[in-house]
């Protein structure tokens, strides 16, 4: 699976949009981009995934560049409960057997 | 509905002892994963079960680690002759195991401390 690069930490003001970048310059054509987050003392939680089109769900939006070498996770109105470590993962397809390969992630701190 | 549960939530043991960590997946999920997370790092894959069989155990660090899932539901991760370096949070995840997208649902983890 392709390697990802994320900033170690970011701050965001409560109520503002949080934009979390991820570089995956070696991504292959059949690899998806996944985002998970891990709130303190909990297991990781799935947020969103995409292949090449932008995606939106009730939690977040995922913007993937046209060349697919980078992406941005957007939390449109960050709350204190969004403080967590956010992991960007790329992996081939989404078959059940594929494990997740986590990097260090971005520690997002949402401040009042 | 009930999520993935793991017991115990905390386990303290002495170096050289044997420990068992239990995972109860979401009912009906055929795929089950174990991960290990050291302080300040992302989770690392250990082993994946599809049904009762271990389909991929490439992440197990050595032969002191073993996992079973005899009836295709509950899984137990077993660690023999524990070492201080085994101290970590052990996470279990399950997914439906169907064709197509399979979100992995994680439990809260078991924090293992080896003294």
């Amino acid at each position: 699976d392709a390697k990802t690069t994320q900033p170690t930490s970011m701050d965001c003001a409560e109520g503002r949009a949080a934009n979390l970048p991820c570089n995956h310059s070696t991504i292959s054509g059949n690899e998806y981009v996944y985002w998970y987050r891990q709130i303190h003392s909990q297991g990781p939680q799935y947020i969103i995934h995409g292949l090449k089109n932008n995606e939106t769900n009730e939690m977040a939006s995922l913007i993937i560049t046209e060349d697919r070498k980078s992406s941005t996770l957007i939390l449109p109105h960050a709350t204190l409960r969004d403080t967590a470590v956010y992991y960007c993962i790329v992996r081939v397809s989404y078959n059940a057997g594929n494990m997740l390969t986590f990097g260090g992630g971005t520690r997002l701190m949402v401040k009042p | 509905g009930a999520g993935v549960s793991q017991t115990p939530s905390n386990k303290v043991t002495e170096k050289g002892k044997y420990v068992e960590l239990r995972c109860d997946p979401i009912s009906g999920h055929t795929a089950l994963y174990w991960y290990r997370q050291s302080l300040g790092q992302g989770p690392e894959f250990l082993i994946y079960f599809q049904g009762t069989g271990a389909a991929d155990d490439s992440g197990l660090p050595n032969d002191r680690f073993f996992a079973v899932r005899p009836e295709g539901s509950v899984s137990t991760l077993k660690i023999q002759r524990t070492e201080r370096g085994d101290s970590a949070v052990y996470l279990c995840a399950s997914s439906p195991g169907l064709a197509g997208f399979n979100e992995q649902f994680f439990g809260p983890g078991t924090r293992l401390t080896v003294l």
Side-chain angles (χ1 to χ4, degrees), chain B residues 55-83:
Chain B
D56 183 350
D57 64 357
S58 62
L60 294 178
N62 51 59
D63 61 6
R64 295 187 297 105
F65 289 74
F66 189 71
V68 296
R69 195 185 185 200
E71 298 179 356
S73 178
V74 171
S75 176
T76 304
L77 179 66
K78 309 181 181 196
I79 310 174
Q80 299 177 320
R81 304 183 304 280
T82 52
E83 300 178 355

Side-chain angles (χ1 to χ4, degrees), chain A residues 34 36 38 40-46 49 87 91 94-104 107, chain B residues 31 33 35 37 41-45 48 50 56 58 91 95 97-98 100-104 106-108:
Chain A
Y34 286 77
Y36 276 72
Q38 187 172 22
H40 183 61
S41 296
Q42 298 183 21
Q45 174 192 25
Y46 165 80
H49 75 283
Y87 296 100
R91 65 201 280 251
Y94 42 60
N95 290 334
N98 289 356
M99 78 290 266
L100 298 168
T101 302
F102 292 86
R107 186 173 298 276
Chain B
Y33 307 77
Y35 294 82
Q37 186 170 26
Q41 299 184 16
E44 290 180 286
F45 168 76
Y48 154 60
Q50 180 59 45
D56 183 350
S58 62
L91 294 161
S95 74
L98 305 174
F101 175 60
N102 281 266
E103 175 184 343
Q104 290 188 25
F106 284 80

Side-chain angles (χ1 to χ4, degrees), chain B residues 26-47:
Chain B
I26 293 173
S27 177
H29 280 191
T30 60
L32 185 145
Y33 307 77
W34 284 98
Y35 294 82
R36 178 170 72 172
Q37 186 170 26
S38 300
L39 190 63
Q41 299 184 16
E44 290 180 286
F45 168 76
L46 295 176
I47 186 169

